[in-house]
Amino acid sequence: MKTKRITSDEDLKTAFEIRKEVFVKEQHVPLEDEFDEFDTLDGLCEHILVYYNGQPAGTGRVRLVDGVGKVERVCVLESFRSFGLGKVIIKALEEITEEKGITRVKLHGQTHAEGFYIKLGYTTSSPVFMEDGIPHVLMTKELPR
């Protein structure tokens, strides 16, 4: 397993293809809702790719919102989901956040993944809400100083 910060348009395109496969095709998120103004390389957020046996298998991004790192768009292609890559993605995004001197992260976790995030130290901080037709909860975590 290897993670890579995305710094090229080619790598960003690869991340977009993974997101389209997982969110748009599998979960039926409308294409126009999946991509936004933060899907650039201009520093508004940091994107990563995770590789398994040399193949791009997952992606995620983190951006700063009101002094907190917001983890977003975390996904792993279905054929790679049994290898612990989700944990690798979260750890990498948390490390990027820590490098910026930020000690708190949050995310909107799909309710079916809530247990996964709890195992990684996240706490549920909201009732269930709908986002793109999928039930979510706000989850937060304090990072070590």
Side-chain angles (χ1 to χ4, degrees):
M1 286 180 264
K2 173 186 151 193
T3 60
K4 175 182 182 182
R5 287 191 197 190
I6 295 175
T7 58
S8 71
D9 288 331
E10 182 179 328
D11 286 342
L12 192 59
K13 182 180 176 189
T14 299
F16 290 172
E17 291 302 317
I18 292 169
R19 286 171 45 188
K20 280 184 207 172
E21 182 65 31
V22 174
F23 294 124
V24 177
K25 289 183 183 175
E26 282 182 42
Q27 297 185 351
H28 308 290
V29 171
L31 183 63
E32 61 273 10
D33 291 344
E34 177 52 32
F35 299 96
D36 60 22
E37 68 272 21
F38 304 110
D39 285 321
T40 65
L41 294 175
D42 63 7
L44 293 175
C45 66
E46 299 245 13
H47 302 263
I48 65 159
L49 283 169
V50 65
Y51 293 82
Y52 188 82
N53 288 337
Q55 294 185 334
T59 188
R61 73 182 194 191
V62 64
R63 63 187 175 100
L64 299 182
V65 179
D66 299 324
V68 176
K70 186 171 186 217
V71 172
E72 302 175 315
R73 307 305 203 269
V74 174
C75 61
V76 175
L77 292 170
E78 186 175 24
S79 59
F80 296 98
R81 289 192 188 141
S82 61
F83 304 115
L85 300 178
K87 181 178 179 179
V88 171
I89 293 169
I90 295 298
K91 177 98 172 111
L93 296 174
E94 289 175 353
E95 288 173 359
I96 290 169
T97 303
E98 289 175 299
E99 287 171 12
K100 297 178 182 303
I102 305 298
T103 59
R104 188 165 189 231
V105 288
K106 68 179 180 178
L107 58 85
H108 293 177
Q110 295 182 10
T111 54
H112 73 84
E114 189 174 3
F116 164 77
Y117 291 115
I118 288 170
K119 287 179 186 174
L120 296 178
Y122 286 79
T123 302
T124 303
S125 303
S126 78
V128 174
F129 60 91
M130 297 301 284
E131 192 168 89
D132 294 320
I134 301 167
H136 285 73
V137 288
L138 173 66
M139 303 192 78
T140 59
K141 179 179 179 179
E142 297 296 326
L143 299 174
R145 293 186 180 264

